[in-house]
Amino acid sequence: MLQKLDKNTKEWYNNKTKYLPGAVCSMVTKYIKWENNKGFCPEELEAAKELILTGGLVAFPTETVYGLGGNALSEEAAKKIYAAKGRPSDNPLIAHIADIEALNLLVDEVPEKGKRLINVFWPGPLTMIFKKKASVPYGTTGGLDTVAVRMPDHPAAAAFLRAVSVPVAAPSANTSGRPSPTLARHVKEDLGGKIDMIIDGGQVGIGIESTIVDLTEDIPVILRPGYITKEMLEKEVGEVRIDKGLIAENVKPKAPGMKYRHYAPKGELTIFEGEQEAVIRHINHLAEEYSEEKVGILATEETKDRYKKGHVICVGSREKGTISKELYRALREFDTWGATFIFAESFSGEPHGEAIMNRLAKAAGQRIVYL
Ligand code: AMP
Ligand code: MG
């Protein structure tokens, strides 16, 4: 049942203009540090808490990417998040919690399969979609009757969320359309002067966004691939489907965010898929052919010395499994360098290759060449 409250009705929300005005870039963004062995300075944590409870925005590290946090129970905070990111307001936010009691503030009932997944995967990189409680504002859910919830597995996020004690709505802390931030300096690049505070917790561990699974139907549906795979979910709850919108071109994805072009560097990115030697040969050939352009090459520890021309950026190591962690940093570096064309190796065969390629293919506007 929809509430009759004027501002909290779906109709009211849907009638609003879809794009909110951009944030004014004039505030002083406070920068604080969380360190592994020291944690927070208590006064600074208190300041972060005050900011959230008075409607401000605080960016914080999680194990996936940095999030831009605001009070998930406040329509006003949600509006500020959309404005700071330049994000369309029909693209819902994920509410972050530190303990299971906080779930009661967002959801009336958790289905059995949801309980099972919570037990196994929380805290961790799994976002679950449930029917929302009436009191959760449509600002947070992008006008939907469902809410996305996650309990992050990062000590800084946990301490921050526990201190504020309200669920915190937090999309990735980047300007909409840019690669997600995996370092505090990425947040500063995009949102410095537009938000109240950045908590610097160093480089994140996983580096790509959480898996999203919808639990509002009997059979859970994956809306966004991530570090937690279909097989891992199926082991716990039986059959799991993948949203058709992720596979078929003419089907609308159920996660509204998946329809937007995402994670894009400014240069034109093309991915080359095939046997490693053929990929290296082909990219070398193209770099030669495009020598008048600013050519960037996305390579790995193992292959970076094999390229003769172009600006090679290393996206971690296949052997050490660090590709996901370094992906967005590498894409941002092409922008800083000013690449006009980027040629990338493919990572589909790597562990978590499906999630990595979901992001990289989007950044490439699905431009993949099979050799
Ligand atoms: P981000 O926080 O940037 O990783 O984006 C969060 C994504 O979660 C959005 O882009 C949506 O696609 C998805 N999402 C959040 N809430 C819902 C929901 N209630 N139903 C479906 N997808 C959702
Ligand atoms: Mg995002």
Side-chain angles (χ1 to χ4, degrees):
M1 273 285 286
L2 291 174
Q3 308 145 278
K4 275 267 178 253
L5 286 174
D6 44 336
K7 263 186 146 184
N8 256 356
T9 62
K10 198 171 182 173
E11 288 71 27
W12 175 84
Y13 188 78
N14 287 342
N15 280 336
K16 299 285 293 174
T17 43
K18 271 182 140 191
Y19 290 82
L20 296 161
V24 188
C25 188
S26 60
M27 60 169 76
V28 176
T29 302
K30 207 166 178 286
Y31 198 87
I32 70 168
K33 272 200 162 200
W34 172 91
E35 279 172 282
N36 214 352
N37 48 355
K38 292 194 202 136
F40 281 104
C41 152
E43 290 78 33
E44 288 178 342
L45 182 58
E46 187 60 28
K49 169 184 164 183
E50 273 310 303
L51 282 169
I52 294 291
L53 297 181
T54 53
L57 302 186
V58 176
F60 61 100
T62 79
E63 79 279 33
T64 58
V65 300
Y66 274 76
L68 175 58
N71 183 350
L73 304 179
S74 154
E75 186 79 54
E76 292 306 312
K79 272 194 209 164
K80 280 197 200 169
I81 291 176
Y82 290 117
K85 278 180 65 78
R87 176 172 173 132
S89 58
D90 65 345
N91 188 356
L93 311 174
I94 296 172
H96 290 66
I97 56 176
D99 38 57
I100 209 69
E101 290 71 46
L103 190 56
N104 298 325
L105 298 168
L106 300 164
V107 174
D108 285 318
E109 218 185 301
V110 176
E112 281 310 311
K113 289 179 184 173
K115 287 182 189 157
R116 174 82 195 143
L117 295 180
I118 286 173
N119 276 334
V120 177
F121 294 109
W122 277 6
L126 182 68
T127 295
M128 285 184 246
I129 310 282
F130 301 114
K131 291 205 174 74
K132 84 174 185 76
K133 224 182 164 86
S135 49
V136 178
Y138 281 112
T140 299
T141 67
L144 299 172
D145 288 312
T146 52
V147 61
V149 193
R150 181 166 103 83
M151 188 188 287
D153 185 17
H154 189 295
F160 165 65
L161 293 169
R162 213 161 271 137
V164 299
S165 73
V166 290
V168 170
S172 48
N174 52 316
T175 298
S176 209
R178 291 212 72 203
S180 294
T182 53
L183 287 158
R185 78 171 140 81
H186 299 159
V187 182
K188 200 172 162 196
E189 266 166 33
D190 283 12
L191 302 177
K194 295 182 184 173
I195 63 173
D196 299 283
M197 182 184 270
I198 297 170
I199 300 172
D200 183 350
Q203 186 176 21
V204 301
I206 292 178
I208 51 178
E209 303 82 352
S210 57
T211 305
I212 302 181
V213 61
D214 184 351
L215 286 151
T216 61
E217 293 170 38
D218 278 348
I219 297 174
V221 184
I222 293 177
L223 307 187
R224 176 171 74 185
Y227 197 79
I228 292 177
T229 61
K230 180 170 183 271
E231 292 68 35
M232 289 159 82
L233 297 172
E234 281 185 330
K235 210 172 136 222
E236 305 303 330
V237 294
E239 189 187 354
V240 171
R241 292 199 186 124
I242 294 183
D243 181 31
K244 286 202 182 72
L246 289 183
I247 310 159
E249 251 173 40
N250 46 4
V251 181
K252 196 172 148 206
K254 198 169 172 197
M258 299 303 276
K259 73 183 178 218
Y260 293 105
R261 184 159 181 258
H262 239 138
Y263 325 116
K266 291 175 192 143
E268 187 183 292
L269 168 62
T270 308
I271 304 164
F272 296 91
E273 166 104 48
E275 191 261 318
Q276 183 170 296
E277 289 305 312
V279 169
I280 293 172
R281 214 177 315 121
H282 197 80
I283 292 180
N284 270 327
H285 175 77
L286 280 175
E288 183 73 48
E289 200 172 296
Y290 281 64
S291 56
E292 308 276 277
E293 294 285 343
K294 290 197 82 178
V295 171
I297 297 173
L298 188 71
T300 61
E301 282 293 343
E302 292 79 16
T303 58
K304 65 180 199 287
D305 297 328
R306 305 278 314 277
Y307 295 101
K308 310 288 170 234
K309 281 239 164 87
H311 182 72
V312 178
I313 289 180
C314 178
V315 64
S317 158
R318 289 183 197 264
E319 269 165 38
K320 294 183 205 141
T322 53
I323 309 283
S324 68
K325 183 175 167 155
E326 304 288 343
L327 180 68
Y328 290 138
R329 187 234 354 117
L331 292 181
R332 277 177 181 260
E333 278 180 20
F334 286 117
D335 283 355
T336 312
W337 180 72
T340 50
F341 286 87
I342 303 162
F343 304 132
E345 296 178 12
S346 166
F347 306 99
S348 51
E350 301 307 307
H352 306 292
E354 194 192 346
I356 295 169
M357 290 308 287
N358 169 269
R359 275 58 171 189
L360 190 60
K362 269 190 171 186
Q366 308 298 327
R367 221 178 354 261
I368 306 177
V369 176
Y370 296 89
L371 298 173

